[in-house]
Amino acid sequence: MMTYTITTPLYYVNDKPHLGSLYTTMASDALARFQRLEGKQVMFVTGVDEHGQKIQRTAEGNNISPKHHCDQITRSYQNLWSRWGISNDRFIRTTSHRHQLLVEAFFHRVETSGDVYLGRQQGWYCVGCEEYKDEPPQAQSPCCPIHQKPLEWRDEENLFFKLSRFQSKIEDLISQPDFIWPVMRRNEIQNFVAQGLRDFSISRVDVDWGLPVPGYPKHTFYVWFDALVGYLSALLDDGGQVRIERLEECGWPASVHLIGKDILRFHAVYWPAMLISAGLPLPKQVFGHGFLTREGQKMGKSLGNVLDPEKLLEICGADAVRWYLLRDIQFGHDGDFQQKRFMDLVNNDLANTIGNLLNRTSTMARKWFEGSVPTHRDEIDYAHPLVTTAETTITIVRQSMPSMAFHDAAEAILKLAIAANVYLNETAPWSRMKTPGNEAEVADDLYSVLEACRLVGLLINPLVPSLSERLLNQLGLSIDGNDWSKGLAWGQLQSGALLPPSQPVMQRLELSSSL
Ligand code: MSP
C-alpha cells in the first residue's frame, strides 16, 4: 500500500512553541487521523529545526550552549505535542547524528550533479527569517518587514546551489494544478519564479552552530538546506540504515507538506530543485495556510499578546481549541483569534448542539427503554430526513477532509446535529410518551436521533478526537472498536444495547479574563 506522508514544518527552537506552530500541527493531525480512518497507511512527520544563527544567538543570549538550549526547547515541543494528543509517527531533530549523515549524502548527490559552486555572497540578511532579502546594496539601514529588526550586511564566500538551472522545471511543476494549494497562493509563487530564479547560497562561514560541509573547512550548511533534508531523515529514522536509496520504501515522496504561507517559497521552489538535483521524487503537494492574528492584531512578544499553547490547553482543553481553529477559519486563509467568538462557538456547537443533544436523547432512552438503545420497528427508511442529511454529511466530510477544507467538514457535521435537534423538537417524544400506545413510534424517533449522534461522533473524530471518544462512549462504543467505513452506514447502532451511565461530554467554556 502507498504510504500517505504528511509533514509539518520543522519548528525553530529559538523559542518555546507558539500558536502558529500549534495551528499547523493540529491541522496536520486532523488530516493524519482522517486518512488513517479511511484505511490509508499514514506517516505523520513533525520535528524541530535546531541549527543556524538565530538559535546560536538565542543560546548565547541565555548564556547556555546551543546544544543545551536545543535540548530544552525540543523537550518542550515533544511534551507539548504529547499533551495535545498529536498523533505524529515521527519526530525529527536536526541535531541527530542520523540526520547529519543524510545531509552529507544528499549534498554529495547535489555536488555530483554539478549543482554546487563556490562564490561570493553579498547582501542584506535577516537572522529572524534566516534569509537574504532583496534590498539593494546601497539601501540605508534597511529593516525586515516581518521582524522589524535591522538587516545585517553580509559579504562572504559561500557555496551556491545552481537554482537558475531549474527555471523551466520549476515553472512546469508550479503550474500543475495540485502542486501548490490553495490555488490563490500559486500566483504569488509564479510571479516570483517569473522574475528569474537566482542561485542561492547553501553554506555559511560565520556560523558555528550548523552541520559542517564535507570538503569545505570553515563552512557550515545554511540552515534551510539542512532543515528541508530533515523531512527525509525523519522517514529514515526507523533504526535501519541511513541510505537515500531506502527513501521510497519509507514513505517518500510526501503526499503533502503542510506549512505556513511565509515559507512557501522554500518548499515550492528551492526544495523541489534540490530534490531534482539529488535525483529524488518530488512532494505531491505543498499547502500554505494563512496566518493567525489575535483580536485583529499581529501576535508578538513586544505586544504581549501571544497565546501560549500550554495555557490554552490547561484552561480550555484541546477539543475546544481544535474545534474553534479548524471550524471557524477557512484553512488556507488568514484568521483572527477572538476570545468571545471562541467561547460562543465552543458553547453553542459543542456543549449545546452536540453535547446536549446526546445527553437529553440518551436520558430519555435510559428512562423509558430500560437503560438501552430503543428498538426501531421498520427497515431503514431512506427518505427519513435524518438519513438523507447524514448521507449528505458523510459525502461532504469525505470530500472536504482530504482537501483540507476542515471548516466545510465541521460545518456539515454541525448541520447534522442541528437537523437532529430540530427533529427531536418536532417529534417531541417527551409529550408523546404521555399518551399510552406511542412507545413504538417514540422508540423509532429516539433511535434515529441517537444514530445521528453516533455518526456525529464518528465523523468528528479527526477534528476533535477526545470529544469524539466521549460521544461514542456514551453510546457504549469507541472509535477503535469500529470499522470507520462500515460504521458510516446508517443503522449500525445496535437496538437493545445497554447505555452507560450518563456523563456530560463537553464542559462549557467560561472565561472571565483574557487568555
Ligand atoms: N524552521 C522553519 C521551517 C523549516 S521546515 C523544513 C520555520 N520555523 S518556524 O518555527 O518559524 O515556523 C513554523 C511555522 O509556524 C510556519 O509554517 C509559520 O508559517 C507558522 N507560523 C508562525 N506564526 C504564525 C501565525 N501567527 N499564524 C499561523 N502560523 C504561523 O519557519
Side-chain angles (χ1 to χ4, degrees):
M1 194 195 293
M2 281 276 288
T3 305
Y4 184 93
T5 299
I6 162 168
T7 68
T8 72
L10 307 186
Y11 301 109
Y12 282 133
V13 295
N14 59 310
D15 209 346
K16 57 183 190 165
H18 50 78
L19 189 68
S21 24
L22 176 68
Y23 186 49
T24 329
T25 308
M26 69 168 57
S28 307
D29 183 65
L31 180 62
R33 284 175 186 271
F34 172 79
Q35 297 292 16
R36 284 191 200 109
L37 288 170
E38 288 281 45
K40 298 239 170 80
Q41 184 178 306
V42 171
M43 176 61 76
F44 171 17
V45 169
T46 187
V48 281
D49 182 355
E50 300 182 280
H51 289 126
Q53 192 155 28
K54 173 154 72 171
I55 289 155
Q56 184 177 321
R57 281 193 187 167
T58 311
E60 280 162 10
N62 294 336
N63 276 322
I64 52 173
S65 71
K67 174 74 171 82
H68 186 104
H69 168 84
C70 290
D71 287 348
Q72 275 179 357
I73 304 277
T74 296
R75 214 170 303 125
S76 71
Y77 266 99
Q78 286 168 320
N79 288 339
L80 187 74
W81 295 157
S82 118
R83 292 183 55 217
W84 273 89
I86 300 300
S87 65
N88 56 298
D89 301 290
R90 291 289 154 78
F91 185 97
I92 182 72
R93 292 189 64 169
T94 58
T95 48
S96 67
H97 181 58
R98 296 174 68 85
H99 172 67
Q100 177 169 359
L101 294 179
L102 191 68
V103 170
E104 286 171 5
F106 188 92
F107 175 68
H108 181 66
R109 281 197 175 201
V110 173
E111 204 182 17
T112 310
S113 300
D115 289 325
V116 176
Y117 65 93
L118 262 179
R120 199 150 194 93
Q121 172 79 61
Q122 285 187 324
W124 292 104
Y125 194 74
C126 171
V127 176
C129 298
E130 292 282 15
E131 191 180 13
Y132 277 99
K133 299 286 168 182
D134 291 335
E135 303 294 326
Q138 63 277 14
Q140 295 296 312
S141 329
C143 225
C144 169
I146 299 169
H147 292 91
Q148 302 295 330
K149 292 218 174 108
L151 298 178
E152 298 175 23
W153 179 252
R154 295 283 158 83
D155 181 358
E156 58 181 45
E157 185 189 60
N158 285 169
L159 287 170
F160 280 76
F161 173 71
K162 283 190 194 163
L163 181 64
S164 53
R165 211 166 71 75
F166 297 88
Q167 181 76 32
S168 65
K169 289 212 168 89
I170 296 295
E171 277 170 6
D172 291 348
L173 176 70
I174 61 178
S175 62
Q176 285 173 20
D178 279 340
F179 186 63
I180 298 177
W181 267 24
V183 178
M184 62 185 179
R185 303 232 180 274
R186 197 191 305 150
N187 269 354
E188 174 194 320
I189 295 295
Q190 278 178 327
N191 291 343
F192 168 71
V193 174
Q195 289 163 25
L197 291 175
R198 281 180 294 162
D199 300 346
F200 71 97
S201 63
I202 57 166
S203 77
R204 299 288 181 265
V205 287
D206 61 344
V207 182
D208 300 333
W209 186 238
L211 293 173
V213 182
Y216 297 87
K218 290 204 291 195
H219 287 251
T220 54
F221 281 109
Y222 170 42
V223 60
W224 269 101
F225 187 88
D226 157 357
L228 287 162
V229 177
Y231 293 135
L232 308 179
S233 321
L235 297 177
L236 294 182
D237 202 14
D238 57 355
Q241 284 183 322
V242 185
R243 282 177 43 236
I244 288 189
E245 296 72 26
R246 286 182 55 233
L247 274 168
E248 286 178 65
E249 308 152 21
C250 297
W252 189 256
S255 303
V256 57
H257 287 311
L258 222 149
I259 53 163
K261 62 180 182 181
D262 55 328
I263 52 175
L264 198 52
R265 204 183 276 186
F266 288 102
H267 285 81
V269 179
Y270 294 18
W271 178 225
M274 286 163 59
L275 286 164
I276 300 171
S277 172
L280 288 170
L282 303 182
K284 297 192 188 103
Q285 188 172 81
V286 178
F287 190 105
H289 67 69
F291 258 50
L292 299 179
T293 47
R294 178 173 184 187
E295 313 290 346
Q297 272 193 314
K298 204 180 149 184
M299 275 177 281
K301 268 195 189 162
S302 49
L303 283 168
N305 65 348
V306 179
L307 276 165
D308 176 8
E310 285 282 351
K311 198 171 157 194
L312 271 177
L313 180 65
E314 218 166 90
I315 300 177
C316 313
D319 290 320
V321 180
R322 285 176 73 116
W323 178 256
Y324 173 56
L325 292 178
L326 296 174
R327 174 245 198 268
D328 202 35
I329 300 163
Q330 274 202 40
F331 198 63
H333 292 249
D334 290 341
D336 191 34
F337 188 102
Q338 297 171 356
Q339 189 160 321
K340 165 101 178 44
R341 186 158 169 82
F342 171 39
M343 280 195 328
D344 287 350
L345 289 188
V346 169
N347 291 341
N348 290 339
D349 302 349
L350 301 185
N352 295 347
T353 307
I354 296 177
N356 279 352
L357 172 72
L358 175 61
N359 194 262
R360 59 191 183 129
T361 316
S362 58
T363 301
M364 288 185 272
R366 279 190 201 91
K367 197 161 140 201
W368 301 325
F369 298 94
E370 294 162 358
S372 49
V373 176
T375 304
H376 62 99
R377 286 173 306 180
D378 306 312
E379 289 294 290
I380 299 169
D381 168 10
Y382 288 99
H384 189 290
L386 288 184
V387 178
T388 54
T389 311
E391 217 167 85
T392 314
T393 308
I394 294 163
T395 309
I396 297 176
V397 170
R398 283 182 134 171
Q399 275 169 1
S400 320
M401 290 297 294
S403 49
M404 281 153 274
F406 305 118
H407 55 285
D408 289 342
E411 224 164 74
I413 298 169
L414 199 62
K415 275 193 188 146
L416 175 58
I418 291 170
N421 273 292
V422 169
Y423 186 78
L424 196 64
N425 292 343
E426 281 175 355
T427 51
W430 48 88
S431 70
R432 279 190 317 160
M433 257 325 253
K434 288 183 190 148
T435 317
N438 280 344
E439 287 84 358
E441 262 180 39
V442 169
D444 272 352
D445 291 338
L446 291 186
Y447 178 89
S448 300
V449 176
L450 287 176
E451 178 60 348
C453 289
R454 185 186 69 85
L455 289 171
V456 166
L458 279 183
L459 291 166
I460 215 167
N461 184 270
L463 300 171
V464 280
S466 322
L467 172 60
S468 151
E469 278 296 352
R470 291 194 298 277
L471 284 166
L472 294 172
N473 289 347
Q474 278 290 284
L475 295 168
L477 304 167
S478 85
I479 192 80
D480 294 334
N482 267 284
D483 176 324
W484 153 271
S485 284
K486 263 202 215 146
L488 290 180
W490 184 270
Q492 302 295 305
L493 186 63
Q494 288 304 312
S495 289
L498 220 55
L499 290 165
S502 163
Q503 270 186 353
V505 289
M506 191 70 202
Q507 294 287 341
R508 285 180 66 79
L509 258 189
E510 307 289 354
L511 304 171
S512 48
S513 58
S514 174
L515 277 164

